[in-house]
Amino acid sequence: MTRPLDRLIRPKSIAVFGGKEARRVIFQCDKMGFSGEIWPVHPREEEILGRKCYRSVADLPGAPDASFVGVNRELTISIIRDLSARGAGGAVCYASGFREAVSELADGDDLQKALVEAAGDMPILGPNCYGFINMLDGALLWPDQHGMLRIDKGVAVLTQSSNIACNISMQQRGLPLAYILTAGNQAQTGLADLACAVLEDPRVTAVGLHIEGFDSLESLERLGLRSRELRKPVVTLKVGKSEQAQLATVSHTASLAGNDAVSSALLSRLSIGRVETLPELLETLKLLHVAGPLANYDISSMSCSGGEASLMADAGVKRKVNYRELRQDQRQPLRETLGQMVTISNPLDYHTFVWGNREKQTAAFKTMMQGGYGLNLVVLDFPRLDRCDAADWITTCHAVIDASKATGANAGIVASMGENMPEATAEMLMQNGVVPFYGIEEALAAAEAAAGIGEIWAKPPPAPLLKTASGEGDAITLTEHEAKQALAAHGLPVPKGVTADTAEAAAEAAQNLGFPVVLKGLRVAHKTEAGAVKLNLASRDAVFDAANAMAGVASGFLVEKMVGKPVAELIVGAMRDPVAGPVLTIGAGGILVELLEDSAILTLPTDDKAIREAIAGLKISKLLDGYRGSPKGDIDALVAAVASAASYVVSNASIIEELDVNPVMVLQAGDGVVAADALIRLRKNP
């Protein structure tokens, strides 16, 4: 266990080791008004930037809270060992040439292990990282330029990438940045642990993570729980893909449950928002800083142009945000304020009849903001300040501020093009509780993410994630009959069936079951392609002939009663994700698996409510609900079937590698479901 990170990220004393980079750290701390002690350590220099130099860790006047170690990789290990022994609070390891460079430097991995061992229980960031910026206290273990200013309250942004951290520090969007922290190789301390530490700072309002890979599932789960407890939202930009599990291509589950889809499901379960771009991350953090998670996905939009109203409407099509219709009690007040020529709708084009009139604009905005929307937006692109007069635009800003304060509603001003909002205006809006959004797409992405967090926070906290290591040894694939019997023991309905070794025995089994039947070849991966499936066999001779025809590819036969025509076919599967462990997949099944790309991921354990919500979110749910007068499917039985599959996976979590039940045939309401095919791969200990 490492010691808490408080001393490191909120230091009262800083030691710096090295030459040029160490000098820059001191310069940045002085420039930003750090009030604590700074102790340079250098083997030859007498002083650096007016401060006495010490020769070693042992010569320091005390154990520093934070240290910036800007020396070569071998010397870094020695200094870290000395700092740990001295009782220091933590250190930034600037040097590269560790695990990230193992393809070029054969000793990189060994050196990283030695670094972690040298640190012991002292927290370290990196190696291969710039460190961090704390603008609340003016403490910068940061050997470069940045674009930040001292603030009293704001958001924290964390990333593995030092260059991306530099770029974020230069933002001109009005976002108050309290912390920027980098983790580099995450040799010992990962982003989730750092995020937990900055959440505890009462001056931090929200946290943004740029994640290349999850370092610790336990830390991530702890972060989600603590975020909910403190009511401080966390949002991520997750990029890249975790290392693929070693899966044989014998089922559709692996293609549906890609690592990126699992990441989204995992983050959602933990009430951590997700966005797709850096601008979306910054705009979402602005919204979360001002308003926190939103109460719903409903938004209103107003602009003085039909073109802008159309842009807003179109941008919302691919989002979960909802331009809910205006309430009746809003329509007449808007009509009285805006005049007869304005079409009262949402998004609303209020024309220019009230342009420049703060009182009337405020009245219109207040009426819109009284509609119970999670977020109220006004589209407003500013003119160039070097060539134009923006007085009327500022009037509109104040009208939005007035309306927001009068109603207590969440409000934002959206520049359709990011360059069309001056930074000073954005800062003024933030100070007055209005979110300045740079870009329509970014604004709606922020609203969606914030509403998603609010939606999850409104539910009870989820059960702890299923934690299990994979078994060792070779994986084995059960026969279809074995797989079905294993699942049936957990309550999954399967057809009545009998196995047979010969064509004659298969024909006899069919006679006893009653016709029509299905004949399948056992231990055949892709039965349809191999000709190892025959449906609707109606006589003993038909079964005998079919069995003889597939004898060359099958090691035996499974004879089952035919299932009636289903309302819909679904797939229920599971796979072992390298980070999240076993996860469940639900989606359109049968021949539609890859064609529709219609699936949902459930992390485990799960419950009936989560299963029902996942099914309702599928495109194929329209068929289950009785599409265009067709019979409705037995959704209750489907939920129970998925829960049965989940029960099997949880019970066998340490050994299961893959589960594929496809199709699950959903019959008419009241008639249940039947698992027509099943595959299970298990990893057994040697």
Side-chain angles (χ1 to χ4, degrees):
M1 287 287 293
T2 57
R3 297 193 293 268
L5 291 159
D6 305 62
R7 287 177 64 195
L8 173 60
I9 65 174
R10 291 182 285 275
K12 292 182 172 58
S13 59
I14 298 173
V16 292
F17 298 80
K20 179 177 63 176
E21 287 78 14
R23 183 179 294 270
R24 288 173 179 167
V25 168
I26 298 173
F27 174 80
Q28 292 293 353
C29 286
D30 287 344
K31 183 180 179 182
M32 292 297 115
F34 177 65
S35 59
E37 295 288 327
I38 300 178
W39 303 325
V41 180
H42 197 280
R44 296 178 302 277
E45 298 287 348
E46 294 299 323
E47 60 89 23
I48 296 179
L49 296 181
R51 288 177 172 83
K52 173 188 173 182
C53 277
Y54 299 89
R55 295 291 178 245
S56 67
V57 172
D59 291 338
L60 292 174
D65 291 327
S67 298
F68 180 86
V69 182
V71 298
N72 67 58
R73 57 191 188 132
E74 289 84 3
L75 187 53
T76 293
I77 295 171
S78 175
I79 292 173
I80 292 298
R81 183 178 293 108
D82 291 345
L83 285 169
S84 180
R86 184 79 191 266
V92 169
C93 301
Y94 176 75
S96 59
F98 292 86
R99 185 166 292 163
E100 86 287 350
V102 70
S103 60
E104 293 85 19
L105 299 171
D107 62 347
D109 191 60
D110 290 338
L111 280 179
Q112 184 154 311
K113 290 177 182 176
L115 177 65
V116 173
E117 182 181 353
D121 65 354
M122 181 186 74
I124 58 171
L125 303 188
N128 185 36
C129 83
Y130 262 29
F132 66 87
I133 299 172
N134 170 352
M135 275 299 171
L136 300 168
D137 305 304
L140 292 85
L141 275 73
W142 189 259
D144 204 344
Q145 299 183 87
H146 60 88
M148 298 163 61
L149 295 172
R150 289 290 296 268
I151 59 171
D152 298 322
K153 182 175 72 171
V155 305
V157 178
L158 295 81
T159 174
Q160 286 175 255
S161 168
S162 299
N163 196 60
I164 285 179
C166 286
N167 296 342
I168 291 173
S169 84
M170 304 297 177
Q171 62 87 28
Q172 299 180 50
R173 298 166 175 260
L175 176 65
L177 289 168
Y179 287 93
I180 283 184
L181 300 101
T182 64
N185 290 9
Q186 302 186 92
Q188 178 216 65
T189 304
L191 288 176
D193 289 325
L194 277 172
C196 286
V198 295
L199 272 182
E200 300 296 334
D201 192 323
R203 301 165 294 178
V204 169
T205 56
V207 173
L209 301 175
H210 168 256
I211 300 176
E212 297 173 24
F214 298 127
D215 59 294
S216 164
L217 185 60
E218 290 74 18
S219 296
L220 195 67
E221 189 171 17
R222 185 168 60 251
L223 173 61
L225 180 62
R226 194 60 180 142
S227 166
R228 180 192 284 258
E229 291 172 347
L230 294 173
R231 313 307 286 179
K232 293 183 179 183
V234 177
V235 63
T236 64
L237 169 58
K238 171 70 174 66
V239 298
K241 297 183 183 297
S242 55
E243 184 178 349
Q244 293 289 336
Q246 298 300 309
L247 294 170
T249 56
V250 293
S251 79
H252 297 288
T253 299
S255 63
L256 287 179
N259 294 96
D260 195 56
V262 174
S263 294
S264 291
L266 177 62
L267 292 169
S268 177
R269 181 191 182 101
L270 300 179
S271 69
I272 297 174
R274 185 177 185 184
V275 294
E276 299 299 323
T277 68
L278 279 174
E280 287 179 5
L281 178 66
L282 299 182
E283 298 306 307
T284 303
L285 285 172
K286 282 195 283 188
L287 176 57
L288 295 174
H289 172 75
V290 172
L294 300 181
N296 55 61
Y297 289 95
D298 295 342
I299 63 173
S300 73
S301 172
M302 299 183 73
S303 63
C304 65
S305 160
E308 291 169 343
S310 296
L311 287 174
M312 290 293 287
D314 287 351
V317 170
K318 61 179 179 289
R319 299 281 179 190
K320 289 182 69 175
V321 297
N322 175 38
Y323 291 108
R324 200 194 67 234
E325 287 287 335
L326 296 168
R327 299 193 311 216
Q328 285 302 120
D329 60 357
Q330 293 176 281
R331 293 180 177 277
Q332 188 57 35
L334 283 170
R335 173 69 63 214
E336 292 173 357
T337 302
L338 300 176
Q340 296 300 314
M341 295 181 64
V342 173
T343 300
I344 305 302
S345 62
N346 181 29
L348 174 64
D349 168 17
Y350 62 82
H351 292 210
T352 56
F353 303 121
V354 295
W355 184 249
N357 186 322
R358 179 171 175 175
E359 182 179 350
K360 286 197 171 185
Q361 282 188 317
T362 300
F365 297 156
K366 280 175 59 178
T367 301
M368 185 65 89
M369 292 181 194
Q370 289 168 338
Y373 297 100
L375 180 63
N376 301 274
L377 300 174
V378 174
V379 183
L380 190 67
D381 281 68
F382 292 78
R384 291 181 57 130
L385 298 186
D386 57 342
R387 300 175 184 173
C388 307
D389 182 0
D392 287 344
W393 284 259
I394 297 300
T395 296
T396 302
C397 289
H398 286 295
V400 173
I401 292 168
D402 293 345
S404 177
K405 288 181 177 179
T407 61
N410 297 322
I413 289 180
V414 183
S416 64
M417 295 182 286
E419 64 269 24
N420 285 0
M421 183 181 292
E423 184 180 18
T425 302
E427 292 171 346
M428 182 273 291
L429 290 170
M430 290 285 282
Q431 291 165 5
N432 285 279
V434 172
V435 186
F437 288 110
Y438 283 51
I440 290 173
E441 295 284 352
E442 289 77 7
L444 298 189
E448 183 177 65
I453 297 173
E455 181 181 41
I456 298 168
W457 278 8
K459 301 174 184 177
L465 280 162
L466 183 65
K467 297 180 179 69
T468 176
S470 175
E472 298 176 353
D474 294 333
I476 62 169
T477 300
L478 303 185
T479 68
E480 180 181 341
H481 185 64
E482 291 169 339
K484 284 179 173 175
Q485 295 309 301
L487 292 166
H490 285 261
L492 184 69
V494 300
K496 187 176 181 180
V498 178
T499 58
D501 294 330
T502 66
E504 180 63 34
E508 181 69 22
Q511 186 79 46
N512 294 333
L513 284 173
F515 299 102
V517 298
V518 178
L519 180 70
K520 301 179 181 180
L522 293 176
R523 300 200 182 280
V524 182
H526 300 285
K527 296 183 182 70
T528 302
E529 292 85 342
V533 178
K534 295 297 180 182
L535 307 176
N536 281 310
L537 299 177
S539 69
R540 181 188 179 99
D541 288 345
V543 174
F544 182 83
D545 292 342
N548 274 327
M550 65 177 70
V553 296
S555 61
F557 308 99
L558 173 63
V559 186
E560 292 181 331
K561 285 286 291 182
M562 273 292 297
V563 179
K565 183 180 179 181
V567 172
E569 297 182 357
L570 278 82
I571 179 174
V572 178
M575 62 166 283
R576 179 176 296 281
D577 182 78
V579 175
V583 295
L584 206 67
T585 303
I586 310 172
I591 64 172
L592 301 178
V593 175
E594 276 92 7
L595 184 63
L596 288 187
E597 296 183 347
D598 180 26
S599 63
I601 304 293
L602 287 169
T603 50
L604 298 174
T606 188
D607 55 33
D608 286 1
K609 183 178 180 181
I611 293 169
R612 194 175 295 273
E613 289 177 353
I615 292 170
L618 298 173
K619 300 172 188 174
I620 203 171
S621 66
K622 292 181 179 180
L623 288 178
L624 297 172
D625 291 336
Y627 186 65
R628 292 190 173 182
S630 298
K632 291 187 176 182
D634 198 331
I635 297 178
D636 289 342
L638 175 60
V639 171
V642 176
S644 297
S647 171
Y648 174 82
V649 174
V650 170
S651 298
N652 295 276
S654 63
I655 58 174
I656 191 163
E657 286 296 309
E658 193 172 0
L659 165 70
D660 196 80
V661 185
N662 180 36
V664 174
M665 304 179 77
V666 184
L667 307 179
Q668 293 186 32
D671 291 345
V673 303
V674 180
D677 197 357
L679 176 144
I680 294 175
R681 294 178 68 243
L682 301 176
R683 188 167 295 280
K684 295 290 189 180
N685 292 324

